[in-house]
């Protein structure tokens, strides 16, 4: 991939509604969108070409009516970016069967 900037934008909203998530997800530069617990409501991973574009993107996010504030962290270097395979789940019957795994 070309030289691009990756940033995480932490978003606080006044309301916790599906509309805000939908609007954030529609932004083309958004690679990931997560609903999180804690002081912030969402963390958004974005990829842009420049700091100017990042500034424009943050202003666009802040224009969403329900967004109260944003906080941005710029990635200096990615050390690992690889999906981890999910472990296999046991079947529902083996989770409740007391004789399984004895």
């Amino acid at each position: 991939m070309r030289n691009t900037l990756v940033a995480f934008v932490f978003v606080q909203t006044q309301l916790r509604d599906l509309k805000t998530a939908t609007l954030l997800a529609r932004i083309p530069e958004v690679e990931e969108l997560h609903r999180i617990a804690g002081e912030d409501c969402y963390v958004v991973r974005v990829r842009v070409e420049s700091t100017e574009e990042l500034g424009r993107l943050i202003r666009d996010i802040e224009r969403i009516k329900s967004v109260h504030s944003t906080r941005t962290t710029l990635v200096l270097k990615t050390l690992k970016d690889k999906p981890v395979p999910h472990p296999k789940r046991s079947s529902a019957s083996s989770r409740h069967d007391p004789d399984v795994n004895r």
Side-chain angles (χ1 to χ4, degrees):
M1 193 170 277
R2 313 174 283 211
N3 287 337
T4 56
L5 298 174
V6 175
F8 289 92
V9 182
F10 297 84
V11 179
Q12 285 187 6
T13 61
Q14 296 172 348
L15 305 170
R16 296 182 186 220
D17 62 353
L18 190 56
K19 184 177 181 183
T20 303
T22 301
L23 292 171
L24 290 169
R26 287 182 182 162
I27 299 170
E29 296 88 353
V30 170
E31 292 186 333
E32 295 179 9
L33 171 61
H34 304 277
R35 175 78 173 86
I36 58 174
E39 194 173 320
D40 300 307
C41 300
Y42 300 98
V43 62
V44 185
R45 185 172 84 173
V46 300
R47 186 177 304 269
V48 294
E49 297 288 329
S50 66
T51 55
E52 290 81 12
E53 190 176 333
L54 179 60
R56 180 201 52 77
L57 176 63
I58 292 167
R59 284 189 299 278
D60 289 348
I61 291 172
E62 290 173 340
R63 283 188 190 113
I64 296 172
K65 197 171 196 173
S66 59
V67 171
H68 175 67
S69 66
T70 62
R71 181 172 48 90
T72 303
T73 300
L74 189 61
V75 174
L76 299 176
K77 181 178 181 180
T78 299
L79 303 173
K80 181 177 180 179
D81 188 8
K82 175 183 168 191
V84 178
H86 294 285
K88 277 190 165 184
R89 288 184 146 183
S90 60
S91 67
S93 61
S94 65
R95 283 186 292 201
H96 301 292
D97 186 349
D99 294 327
V100 173
N101 298 326
R102 283 195 174 177

